[in-house]
Amino acid sequence: QYQPLTGQADCLACPPGSYSAAVGQSSCEPCPKGGSCNEVGAATSMVWEPCPAGSFNPNNGSNSSAACELCPAGTASATRGAESGDACAPCEPGHFAATPGLSKCERCSAGFYQKASGAAECLRCKPGSLCPLGASLELPAACEPGTYANATDDDGDPDCFDCPAGSSCGGGAAPPAECSPGAFAATPGL
Protein backbone atom coordinates (compact mmCIF):
# COMPACT_ATOMS: atom_id res chain seq x y z
CA GLN A 1 0.00 0.00 0.00
CA TYR A 2 1.00 3.61 -0.45
CA GLN A 3 -0.30 7.15 0.02
CA PRO A 4 1.12 10.02 -2.05
CA LEU A 5 -0.82 12.74 -0.17
CA THR A 6 -0.47 13.99 3.42
CA GLY A 7 -3.37 14.04 5.89
CA GLN A 8 -5.19 11.02 4.44
CA ALA A 9 -7.06 8.43 6.55
CA ASP A 10 -6.48 5.47 4.26
CA CYS A 11 -3.71 4.02 2.16
CA LEU A 12 -4.19 3.06 -1.47
CA ALA A 13 -3.57 -0.37 -2.99
CA CYS A 14 -0.73 -0.51 -5.48
CA PRO A 15 -2.14 -0.96 -8.99
CA PRO A 16 -1.36 -4.02 -11.10
CA GLY A 17 2.16 -3.74 -12.53
CA SER A 18 3.58 -2.36 -9.26
CA TYR A 19 4.22 -3.25 -5.61
CA SER A 20 5.15 -1.65 -2.28
CA ALA A 21 7.53 -3.74 -0.19
CA ALA A 22 8.01 -1.31 2.76
CA VAL A 23 5.70 0.45 5.23
CA GLY A 24 5.06 4.20 4.83
CA GLN A 25 5.65 4.47 1.09
CA SER A 26 4.41 7.44 -0.93
CA SER A 27 4.61 5.53 -4.21
CA CYS A 28 4.74 1.99 -5.57
CA GLU A 29 7.71 0.43 -7.35
CA PRO A 30 7.16 -0.78 -10.94
CA CYS A 31 7.50 -4.51 -11.46
CA PRO A 32 10.77 -5.41 -13.19
CA LYS A 33 11.34 -6.00 -16.90
CA GLY A 34 11.07 -9.53 -18.25
CA GLY A 35 7.59 -10.26 -16.91
CA SER A 36 4.48 -8.78 -15.33
CA CYS A 37 2.65 -8.31 -12.00
CA ASN A 38 -1.11 -8.89 -12.30
CA GLU A 39 -2.18 -8.47 -8.65
CA VAL A 40 -3.64 -5.34 -7.06
CA GLY A 41 -2.06 -4.29 -3.74
CA ALA A 42 1.09 -6.37 -4.09
CA ALA A 43 3.44 -6.06 -1.13
CA THR A 44 6.40 -7.79 -2.77
CA SER A 45 7.95 -8.24 -6.18
CA MET A 46 7.45 -12.00 -5.63
CA VAL A 47 4.11 -11.66 -7.47
CA TRP A 48 6.16 -11.02 -10.63
CA GLU A 49 5.56 -13.67 -13.30
CA PRO A 50 8.40 -14.08 -15.81
CA CYS A 51 7.70 -14.11 -19.53
CA PRO A 52 7.75 -17.68 -20.86
CA ALA A 53 10.63 -18.99 -22.96
CA GLY A 54 10.32 -17.73 -26.52
CA SER A 55 9.31 -14.23 -25.41
CA PHE A 56 10.62 -11.09 -23.66
CA ASN A 57 9.42 -7.85 -22.04
CA PRO A 58 11.66 -4.76 -22.21
CA ASN A 59 9.35 -2.61 -20.05
CA ASN A 60 9.04 -2.03 -16.30
CA GLY A 61 5.58 -1.92 -14.70
CA SER A 62 3.71 -4.38 -16.93
CA ASN A 63 0.43 -5.63 -15.51
CA SER A 64 -0.38 -8.43 -17.96
CA SER A 65 1.40 -11.37 -19.56
CA ALA A 66 0.25 -9.85 -22.87
CA ALA A 67 3.18 -7.42 -22.43
CA CYS A 68 5.55 -10.29 -23.26
CA GLU A 69 6.61 -9.98 -26.90
CA LEU A 70 7.21 -13.14 -28.94
CA CYS A 71 10.60 -13.88 -30.46
CA PRO A 72 10.23 -13.51 -34.24
CA ALA A 73 10.13 -16.45 -36.64
CA GLY A 74 13.66 -17.64 -37.43
CA THR A 75 14.74 -17.13 -33.80
CA ALA A 76 14.21 -18.83 -30.43
CA SER A 77 14.95 -18.28 -26.74
CA ALA A 78 15.01 -20.84 -23.92
CA THR A 79 15.29 -18.02 -21.34
CA ARG A 80 12.32 -17.32 -19.04
CA GLY A 81 12.01 -13.69 -17.94
CA ALA A 82 14.05 -12.28 -20.84
CA GLU A 83 14.28 -8.47 -20.82
CA SER A 84 15.07 -7.81 -24.47
CA GLY A 85 14.86 -9.22 -27.96
CA ASP A 86 18.60 -9.91 -27.72
CA ALA A 87 17.60 -13.14 -25.95
CA CYS A 88 16.05 -14.34 -29.23
CA ALA A 89 18.96 -16.07 -30.98
CA PRO A 90 18.86 -16.73 -34.74
CA CYS A 91 18.48 -20.39 -35.66
CA GLU A 92 21.74 -22.00 -36.80
CA PRO A 93 22.14 -23.41 -40.31
CA GLY A 94 20.31 -26.76 -40.59
CA HIS A 95 17.62 -25.46 -38.20
CA PHE A 96 14.52 -23.26 -38.44
CA ALA A 97 11.75 -21.61 -36.40
CA ALA A 98 8.58 -21.44 -38.50
CA THR A 99 6.46 -19.52 -36.00
CA PRO A 100 7.11 -16.71 -33.52
CA GLY A 101 7.56 -17.50 -29.81
CA LEU A 102 9.54 -20.74 -29.94
CA SER A 103 11.85 -21.81 -27.12
CA LYS A 104 14.17 -23.73 -29.47
CA CYS A 105 14.81 -24.07 -33.17
CA GLU A 106 13.88 -27.30 -34.94
CA ARG A 107 16.23 -29.33 -37.12
CA CYS A 108 15.43 -29.53 -40.82
CA SER A 109 13.73 -32.82 -41.66
CA ALA A 110 15.50 -35.42 -43.77
CA GLY A 111 15.12 -34.42 -47.42
CA PHE A 112 15.41 -30.69 -46.53
CA TYR A 113 18.28 -28.29 -45.75
CA GLN A 114 18.94 -24.69 -44.69
CA LYS A 115 22.31 -23.01 -45.23
CA ALA A 116 21.35 -19.61 -43.76
CA SER A 117 21.04 -18.68 -40.09
CA GLY A 118 17.82 -17.12 -38.80
CA ALA A 119 15.60 -19.12 -41.16
CA ALA A 120 11.85 -19.62 -40.80
CA GLU A 121 11.78 -22.65 -43.13
CA CYS A 122 13.95 -25.30 -44.74
CA LEU A 123 14.44 -25.84 -48.45
CA ARG A 124 13.61 -29.09 -50.26
CA CYS A 125 16.67 -31.05 -51.34
CA LYS A 126 17.03 -31.31 -55.14
CA PRO A 127 16.44 -34.72 -56.74
CA GLY A 128 19.65 -36.72 -56.70
CA SER A 129 21.04 -34.92 -53.64
CA LEU A 130 21.45 -36.13 -50.07
CA CYS A 131 19.98 -34.09 -47.17
CA PRO A 132 20.03 -35.95 -43.83
CA LEU A 133 18.26 -34.69 -40.70
CA GLY A 134 19.55 -31.20 -39.77
CA ALA A 135 21.35 -30.68 -43.10
CA SER A 136 22.88 -27.26 -43.70
CA LEU A 137 23.69 -28.02 -47.35
CA GLU A 138 22.85 -30.42 -50.15
CA LEU A 139 25.31 -33.28 -50.55
CA PRO A 140 25.80 -35.14 -53.82
CA ALA A 141 24.38 -38.64 -53.87
CA ALA A 142 26.91 -41.46 -53.57
CA CYS A 143 25.58 -43.76 -56.29
CA GLU A 144 27.98 -46.25 -57.90
CA PRO A 145 28.81 -46.02 -61.62
CA GLY A 146 26.02 -47.74 -63.56
CA THR A 147 23.38 -46.34 -61.20
CA TYR A 148 21.76 -42.95 -60.69
CA ALA A 149 19.80 -41.16 -57.97
CA ASN A 150 16.41 -39.88 -59.07
CA ALA A 151 14.96 -38.57 -55.78
CA THR A 152 15.50 -38.15 -52.09
CA ASP A 153 12.93 -40.20 -50.19
CA ASP A 154 11.53 -39.65 -46.68
CA ASP A 155 14.68 -40.89 -44.90
CA GLY A 156 16.78 -38.20 -46.61
CA ASP A 157 18.96 -40.68 -48.48
CA PRO A 158 18.65 -40.72 -52.26
CA ASP A 159 17.73 -44.06 -53.77
CA CYS A 160 20.13 -45.40 -56.41
CA PHE A 161 18.55 -47.10 -59.44
CA ASP A 162 20.09 -49.15 -62.24
CA CYS A 163 20.86 -47.08 -65.30
CA PRO A 164 18.20 -47.75 -67.98
CA ALA A 165 19.08 -49.46 -71.27
CA GLY A 166 20.11 -46.91 -73.92
CA SER A 167 21.83 -44.70 -71.33
CA SER A 168 25.08 -44.49 -69.40
CA CYS A 169 25.42 -43.47 -65.75
CA GLY A 170 28.66 -42.21 -64.26
CA GLY A 171 27.40 -42.53 -60.68
CA GLY A 172 27.20 -39.88 -57.97
CA ALA A 173 24.24 -37.58 -58.49
CA ALA A 174 24.50 -37.43 -62.31
CA PRO A 175 21.33 -38.27 -64.21
CA PRO A 176 21.38 -40.93 -66.96
CA ALA A 177 22.94 -39.75 -70.24
CA GLU A 178 21.34 -41.14 -73.40
CA CYS A 179 23.70 -42.94 -75.70
CA SER A 180 24.84 -40.98 -78.78
CA PRO A 181 23.87 -42.09 -82.28
CA GLY A 182 26.07 -45.03 -83.26
CA ALA A 183 26.47 -46.25 -79.63
CA PHE A 184 24.24 -48.34 -77.39
CA ALA A 185 23.91 -49.81 -73.91
CA ALA A 186 21.78 -52.93 -74.21
CA THR A 187 22.14 -53.98 -70.59
CA PRO A 188 20.70 -51.88 -67.74
CA GLY A 189 23.22 -50.77 -65.12
CA LEU A 190 26.08 -49.80 -67.44
Side-chain angles (χ1 to χ4, degrees), residues 108-128:
C108 293
S109 299
F112 292 82
Y113 74 102
Q114 182 49 258
K115 63 183 175 182
S117 60
E121 64 182 359
C122 294
L123 307 171
R124 181 173 291 283
C125 206
K126 290 184 185 102

mmCIF file of all heavy atoms in Angstrom, residues 108-128:
data_model
loop_
_atom_site.group_PDB
_atom_site.id
_atom_site.type_symbol
_atom_site.label_atom_id
_atom_site.label_comp_id
_atom_site.label_asym_id
_atom_site.label_seq_id
_atom_site.Cartn_x
_atom_site.Cartn_y
_atom_site.Cartn_z
ATOM 1 N N CYS A 108 16.053 -29.252 -39.527
ATOM 2 C CA CYS A 108 15.426 -29.529 -40.819
ATOM 3 C C CYS A 108 15.196 -31.035 -40.931
ATOM 4 O O CYS A 108 16.052 -31.833 -40.536
ATOM 5 C CB CYS A 108 16.317 -29.062 -41.964
ATOM 6 S SG CYS A 108 16.523 -27.270 -42.067
ATOM 7 N N SER A 109 14.053 -31.407 -41.461
ATOM 8 C CA SER A 109 13.735 -32.823 -41.659
ATOM 9 C C SER A 109 14.636 -33.418 -42.725
ATOM 10 O O SER A 109 15.186 -32.697 -43.561
ATOM 11 C CB SER A 109 12.276 -32.978 -42.112
ATOM 12 O OG SER A 109 11.401 -32.489 -41.151
ATOM 13 N N ALA A 110 14.767 -34.733 -42.711
ATOM 14 C CA ALA A 110 15.500 -35.420 -43.768
ATOM 15 C C ALA A 110 14.833 -35.079 -45.097
ATOM 16 O O ALA A 110 13.612 -35.030 -45.196
ATOM 17 C CB ALA A 110 15.483 -36.922 -43.527
ATOM 18 N N GLY A 111 15.654 -34.812 -46.116
ATOM 19 C CA GLY A 111 15.125 -34.418 -47.421
ATOM 20 C C GLY A 111 15.031 -32.906 -47.571
ATOM 21 O O GLY A 111 14.620 -32.402 -48.609
ATOM 22 N N PHE A 112 15.423 -32.156 -46.520
ATOM 23 C CA PHE A 112 15.407 -30.693 -46.534
ATOM 24 C C PHE A 112 16.726 -30.179 -45.982
ATOM 25 O O PHE A 112 17.440 -30.887 -45.285
ATOM 26 C CB PHE A 112 14.255 -30.164 -45.679
ATOM 27 C CG PHE A 112 12.897 -30.461 -46.246
ATOM 28 C CD1 PHE A 112 12.300 -31.693 -46.037
ATOM 29 C CD2 PHE A 112 12.227 -29.522 -47.000
ATOM 30 C CE1 PHE A 112 11.051 -31.981 -46.558
ATOM 31 C CE2 PHE A 112 10.978 -29.795 -47.535
ATOM 32 C CZ PHE A 112 10.390 -31.030 -47.314
ATOM 33 N N TYR A 113 17.062 -28.903 -46.263
ATOM 34 C CA TYR A 113 18.280 -28.293 -45.746
ATOM 35 C C TYR A 113 18.066 -26.798 -45.561
ATOM 36 O O TYR A 113 17.097 -26.231 -46.060
ATOM 37 C CB TYR A 113 19.465 -28.543 -46.689
ATOM 38 C CG TYR A 113 19.418 -27.711 -47.952
ATOM 39 C CD1 TYR A 113 20.213 -26.573 -48.071
ATOM 40 C CD2 TYR A 113 18.575 -28.048 -49.009
ATOM 41 C CE1 TYR A 113 20.165 -25.795 -49.217
ATOM 42 C CE2 TYR A 113 18.531 -27.270 -50.150
ATOM 43 C CZ TYR A 113 19.316 -26.144 -50.256
ATOM 44 O OH TYR A 113 19.270 -25.367 -51.380
ATOM 45 N N GLN A 114 18.951 -26.151 -44.829
ATOM 46 C CA GLN A 114 18.939 -24.693 -44.689
ATOM 47 C C GLN A 114 20.368 -24.238 -44.438
ATOM 48 O O GLN A 114 20.969 -24.585 -43.431
ATOM 49 C CB GLN A 114 18.032 -24.247 -43.542
ATOM 50 C CG GLN A 114 17.938 -22.750 -43.372
ATOM 51 C CD GLN A 114 17.642 -21.993 -44.655
ATOM 52 O OE1 GLN A 114 18.541 -21.410 -45.246
ATOM 53 N NE2 GLN A 114 16.403 -22.051 -45.091
ATOM 54 N N LYS A 115 20.924 -23.463 -45.369
ATOM 55 C CA LYS A 115 22.305 -23.009 -45.227
ATOM 56 C C LYS A 115 22.416 -21.681 -44.494
ATOM 57 O O LYS A 115 23.467 -21.333 -43.984
ATOM 58 C CB LYS A 115 23.009 -22.943 -46.584
ATOM 59 C CG LYS A 115 22.404 -21.955 -47.553
ATOM 60 C CD LYS A 115 23.129 -22.016 -48.883
ATOM 61 C CE LYS A 115 22.453 -21.108 -49.885
ATOM 62 N NZ LYS A 115 23.098 -21.168 -51.189
ATOM 63 N N ALA A 116 21.321 -20.927 -44.405
ATOM 64 C CA ALA A 116 21.352 -19.613 -43.758
ATOM 65 C C ALA A 116 21.018 -19.729 -42.267
ATOM 66 O O ALA A 116 20.361 -20.671 -41.835
ATOM 67 C CB ALA A 116 20.356 -18.681 -44.432
ATOM 68 N N SER A 117 21.463 -18.752 -41.494
ATOM 69 C CA SER A 117 21.042 -18.683 -40.086
ATOM 70 C C SER A 117 19.825 -17.769 -40.012
ATOM 71 O O SER A 117 19.603 -16.938 -40.886
ATOM 72 C CB SER A 117 22.178 -18.168 -39.203
ATOM 73 O OG SER A 117 22.566 -16.878 -39.617
ATOM 74 N N GLY A 118 19.013 -17.948 -38.977
ATOM 75 C CA GLY A 118 17.821 -17.115 -38.799
ATOM 76 C C GLY A 118 16.694 -17.458 -39.753
ATOM 77 O O GLY A 118 15.883 -16.599 -40.090
ATOM 78 N N ALA A 119 16.595 -18.713 -40.167
ATOM 79 C CA ALA A 119 15.596 -19.124 -41.158
ATOM 80 C C ALA A 119 14.269 -19.516 -40.518
ATOM 81 O O ALA A 119 14.228 -20.064 -39.421
ATOM 82 C CB ALA A 119 16.126 -20.275 -41.997
ATOM 83 N N ALA A 120 13.185 -19.235 -41.245
ATOM 84 C CA ALA A 120 11.846 -19.618 -40.804
ATOM 85 C C ALA A 120 11.368 -20.892 -41.488
ATOM 86 O O ALA A 120 10.291 -21.395 -41.173
ATOM 87 C CB ALA A 120 10.860 -18.484 -41.075
ATOM 88 N N GLU A 121 12.147 -21.410 -42.434
ATOM 89 C CA GLU A 121 11.781 -22.646 -43.127
ATOM 90 C C GLU A 121 13.025 -23.302 -43.702
ATOM 91 O O GLU A 121 14.079 -22.676 -43.802
ATOM 92 C CB GLU A 121 10.766 -22.374 -44.238
ATOM 93 C CG GLU A 121 11.307 -21.506 -45.356
ATOM 94 C CD GLU A 121 10.281 -21.196 -46.433
ATOM 95 O OE1 GLU A 121 9.139 -21.660 -46.334
ATOM 96 O OE2 GLU A 121 10.640 -20.502 -47.387
ATOM 97 N N CYS A 122 12.862 -24.569 -44.081
ATOM 98 C CA CYS A 122 13.947 -25.301 -44.736
ATOM 99 C C CYS A 122 13.600 -25.458 -46.210
ATOM 100 O O CYS A 122 12.436 -25.382 -46.598
ATOM 101 C CB CYS A 122 14.129 -26.674 -44.081
ATOM 102 S SG CYS A 122 14.702 -26.548 -42.368
ATOM 103 N N LEU A 123 14.603 -25.692 -47.013
ATOM 104 C CA LEU A 123 14.438 -25.843 -48.453
ATOM 105 C C LEU A 123 14.471 -27.320 -48.823
ATOM 106 O O LEU A 123 15.244 -28.084 -48.244
ATOM 107 C CB LEU A 123 15.565 -25.101 -49.177
ATOM 108 C CG LEU A 123 15.742 -23.635 -48.788
ATOM 109 C CD1 LEU A 123 17.013 -23.076 -49.395
ATOM 110 C CD2 LEU A 123 14.533 -22.836 -49.214
ATOM 111 N N ARG A 124 13.640 -27.697 -49.811
ATOM 112 C CA ARG A 124 13.610 -29.095 -50.256
ATOM 113 C C ARG A 124 14.916 -29.411 -50.988
ATOM 114 O O ARG A 124 15.395 -28.630 -51.786
ATOM 115 C CB ARG A 124 12.414 -29.358 -51.161
ATOM 116 C CG ARG A 124 12.327 -30.801 -51.641
ATOM 117 C CD ARG A 124 11.056 -31.092 -52.382
ATOM 118 N NE ARG A 124 9.891 -31.078 -51.525
ATOM 119 C CZ ARG A 124 9.542 -32.045 -50.682
ATOM 120 N NH1 ARG A 124 10.315 -33.104 -50.558
ATOM 121 N NH2 ARG A 124 8.455 -31.956 -49.968
ATOM 122 N N CYS A 125 15.460 -30.576 -50.697
ATOM 123 C CA CYS A 125 16.670 -31.055 -51.344
ATOM 124 C C CYS A 125 16.350 -31.380 -52.813
ATOM 125 O O CYS A 125 15.284 -31.926 -53.100
ATOM 126 C CB CYS A 125 17.115 -32.315 -50.602
ATOM 127 S SG CYS A 125 18.848 -32.676 -50.686
ATOM 128 N N LYS A 126 17.250 -31.028 -53.725
ATOM 129 C CA LYS A 126 17.031 -31.307 -55.142
ATOM 130 C C LYS A 126 17.097 -32.818 -55.393
ATOM 131 O O LYS A 126 17.826 -33.526 -54.703
ATOM 132 C CB LYS A 126 18.098 -30.610 -55.983
ATOM 133 C CG LYS A 126 17.965 -29.115 -56.014
ATOM 134 C CD LYS A 126 18.992 -28.506 -56.948
ATOM 135 C CE LYS A 126 18.935 -27.009 -56.892
ATOM 136 N NZ LYS A 126 19.996 -26.416 -56.089
ATOM 137 N N PRO A 127 16.347 -33.295 -56.399
ATOM 138 C CA PRO A 127 16.438 -34.716 -56.739
ATOM 139 C C PRO A 127 17.890 -35.101 -57.018
ATOM 140 O O PRO A 127 18.625 -34.355 -57.655
ATOM 141 C CB PRO A 127 15.576 -34.840 -57.997
ATOM 142 C CG PRO A 127 14.602 -33.715 -57.890
ATOM 143 C CD PRO A 127 15.365 -32.587 -57.224
ATOM 144 N N GLY A 128 18.287 -36.235 -56.497
ATOM 145 C CA GLY A 128 19.645 -36.715 -56.704
ATOM 146 C C GLY A 128 20.631 -36.217 -55.658
ATOM 147 O O GLY A 128 21.798 -36.532 -55.718
#
